[in-house]
Amino acid sequence: MLTVSKYLDILKPTNRIEVFQMVMINKSLIDLEASEDSQKAIFKHLAQIAFDEGRIADIDGVENGLKDREMEATTGFGKGIAIPHAKSKYVKEPTIIVLRNNQEIEWNSLDGKPVNMFINLLVPDGKSNIHLKMLAKLSRQLMHKEFTTILKEGSEAQILEAIQNVLNS
């Protein structure tokens, strides 16, 4: 059986491609105790975290960017997980925020189920390549039960390590 620690060891990069040199995620960008009750509240919460950490210049601008992107197509990948993302002139640097909500939110997910785990990607305008690479790397991992288990049940440190390893693999 593959344990969480063995899975994290597998993800550890041996030869990193330094595409993701900047620090896109740290412990202050992870909130495992959110208690929001709507999609709009989730977007506001994510934008507030980004603003508080100096990652964005305008809360409303980023919140609207997330809402607009969600209207194009759902970011709910299934298994209770969504990856809301936006490119915006208000984003100062590529950022990943992880939010675990204590209640499920209707999200129009691909599997039709509500969501309570969010991996938020925020990228400055003009950084499409980073945006797409981050999204591809993270969404591929959602097929692995070990990764989704870490997201849903893991500590801040485990989630941080798993996401950093995925981005640097």
Side-chain angles (χ1 to χ4, degrees), residues 23-168:
V23 177
M24 287 188 271
I25 184 169
N26 59 48
K27 284 187 179 181
S28 46
L29 295 168
I30 299 173
D31 181 354
L32 302 181
E33 298 178 1
S35 57
E36 304 301 344
D37 62 0
S38 68
Q39 192 176 74
K40 180 178 179 167
I42 292 290
F43 291 154
K44 186 164 211 58
H45 193 118
L46 293 167
Q48 186 67 55
I49 291 171
F51 184 80
D52 291 347
E53 292 302 313
R55 301 299 186 114
I56 64 170
D58 183 74
I59 293 172
D60 292 335
V62 169
E63 186 181 345
N64 288 333
L66 290 168
K67 183 183 75 170
D68 292 346
R69 170 56 189 87
E70 195 68 35
M71 288 186 343
E72 290 175 22
T74 186
T75 59
F77 280 78
K79 300 179 185 176
I81 301 170
I83 306 180
H85 52 280
K87 289 183 293 182
S88 172
K89 65 183 179 182
Y90 303 111
V91 178
K92 297 178 183 179
E93 60 186 298
T95 300
I96 298 173
I97 301 168
V98 176
L99 186 72
R100 188 186 295 153
N101 203 48
N102 65 13
Q103 61 182 308
E104 295 180 326
I105 305 290
E106 182 52 48
W107 208 265
N108 194 31
S109 296
L110 296 174
D111 64 359
K113 296 182 179 172
V115 173
N116 73 328
M117 190 72 216
F118 304 90
I119 305 172
N120 177 221
L121 310 179
L122 299 173
V123 180
D125 277 341
K127 299 280 188 180
S128 298
N129 59 335
I130 291 175
H131 176 253
L132 295 174
K133 287 178 183 180
M134 287 177 7
L135 186 58
K137 284 177 175 265
L138 289 166
S139 61
R140 274 195 301 268
Q141 290 303 311
L142 295 181
M143 294 184 285
H144 299 284
K145 184 175 179 12
E146 296 81 10
F147 185 72
T148 60
T149 298
I150 290 169
L151 292 176
K152 292 180 175 191
E153 300 172 12
S155 67
E156 275 182 358
Q158 288 174 316
I159 291 169
L160 181 62
E161 181 179 7
I163 290 176
Q164 287 174 332
N165 288 341
V166 166
L167 293 176
N168 290 318

